[in-house]
Amino acid sequence: MRKPVIAGNWKMYKLLSEAVDTALALKPLVANANHCEVVIAPVFVHLKTVADRLEGSNIRVAAQDCSTEVKEGAHTGEVSAQMIEDVGASHVIIGHSERRQFYGETDESVNKKTKAALSFGLTAIVCVGEMLAERESGNAESVVKTQLVGATDGLTVSDMERIIIAYEPVWAIGTGKVATPEQAQEMHGFIRRTVSERHGKEIADATRILYGGSVKPDNIAGLMHQADIDGALVGGASLEAESFAQIVNFK
Ligand code: 13P
């Protein structure tokens, strides 16, 4: 059985005190959530403080990106996967559409970052998803497949066991336009079949595939009832402890 994952991507929101307050407010609200893994992703500079304050809780901490570079060196502004692991984070989001659209992320860099993350024991949450024009022109599946194949190129079976895939259609991010559960399921099924063709059925059946894009307390249940939706990557609704906890504790 695949254990669901509900992850909150805080993007570039919150000052340190606000991040700590939200994390501490969330702790008791999700303390009994044994049915899923709970992850929050603050900005780099808050990772250690938030991870320290959540120690011993059931909330894991993720970075929102990592360097393609594995070894320390002269890479001004970069943060390595090892540094992320060293401060107490366990996950890293890689290839988010905002990074692909605005910060030059490519399938090749996503692949390198994924390998870097895995080499230090982090769980990589690898994001894929098509733009509106790509969906409207009937190319959604081919775009997602290219991203997926690019991200996972050269990964071994044991690597694949430690990645989580997040399908985030770009047209649904921050727009309030959630994909219907059926639209999301259709793509999640396609992603699982693609993983199966490339890495085998056993890996495909075990891989968690999260949906992201305008997930809210009132639409999470419909999404989670779909066969191939194993959780959510939540943006806006993860910024408040109460709404994120409602998503975690979906019925
Ligand atoms: P929203 O939930 O705000 O649409 O953001 C989704 C997202 O980008 C999560 O990574």
Side-chain angles (χ1 to χ4, degrees), residues 40-245:
I40 55 173
V43 296
F44 281 133
V45 291
H46 301 165
L47 281 179
K48 174 157 172 55
T49 309
V50 171
D52 283 352
R53 301 298 295 269
L54 290 175
E55 211 179 320
S57 79
N58 61 336
I59 306 171
R60 302 275 86 81
V61 174
Q64 298 173 16
D65 187 25
C66 70
S67 181
T68 56
E69 297 296 332
V70 174
K71 281 178 60 173
E72 65 178 358
H75 307 295
T76 304
E78 290 292 280
V79 178
S80 74
Q82 186 176 24
M83 291 163 181
I84 291 166
E85 191 275 335
D86 184 49
V87 297
S90 54
H91 292 62
V92 54
I93 297 168
I94 297 173
H96 191 278
S97 63
E98 286 149 17
R99 299 218 62 83
R100 291 179 188 265
Q101 271 184 282
F102 308 121
Y103 300 97
E105 192 84 87
T106 63
D107 291 336
E108 192 189 355
S109 61
V110 171
N111 182 253
K112 282 192 185 158
K113 290 176 179 191
T114 302
K115 288 173 176 163
L118 296 174
S119 72
F120 289 102
L122 295 170
T123 298
I125 303 175
V126 177
C127 303
V128 297
E130 81 287 357
M131 317 262 282
L132 183 60
E134 293 164 337
R135 173 159 287 260
E136 286 177 342
S137 61
N139 292 319
E141 288 190 351
S142 74
V143 166
V144 167
K145 183 168 184 173
T146 302
Q147 292 175 344
L148 188 60
V149 169
T152 57
D153 187 41
L155 296 195
T156 64
V157 166
S158 84
D159 290 337
M160 286 302 293
E161 283 169 353
R162 291 180 299 126
I163 75 163
I164 294 171
I165 296 167
Y167 168 59
E168 300 204 310
V170 178
W171 47 271
I173 295 179
T175 59
K177 260 197 203 172
V178 63
T180 64
E182 293 73 25
Q183 276 174 321
Q185 165 57 30
E186 199 175 16
M187 187 62 87
H188 282 229
F190 173 75
I191 291 171
R192 201 176 303 288
R193 287 195 299 281
T194 304
V195 173
S196 181
E197 282 162 19
R198 290 170 45 76
H199 305 278
K201 185 171 182 320
E202 204 174 321
I203 288 289
D205 285 345
T207 301
R208 272 88 56 90
I209 308 174
L210 316 185
Y211 168 80
S214 299
V215 174
K216 307 284 178 227
D218 63 3
N219 59 30
I220 183 68
L223 291 161
M224 291 301 292
H225 283 135
Q226 301 298 316
D228 290 297
I229 300 184
D230 308 310
L233 183 53
V234 186
S238 73
L239 295 171
E240 299 284 340
E242 288 74 18
S243 60
F244 188 56

Side-chain angles (χ1 to χ4, degrees), residues 14-63:
K14 298 183 185 295
L15 298 177
L16 179 59
S17 61
E18 296 165 331
V20 168
D21 286 352
T22 308
L24 293 180
L26 186 63
K27 213 153 90 160
L29 300 178
V30 301
N32 297 322
N34 303 315
H35 61 284
C36 69
E37 292 172 14
V38 183
V39 182
I40 55 173
V43 296
F44 281 133
V45 291
H46 301 165
L47 281 179
K48 174 157 172 55
T49 309
V50 171
D52 283 352
R53 301 298 295 269
L54 290 175
E55 211 179 320
S57 79
N58 61 336
I59 306 171
R60 302 275 86 81
V61 174

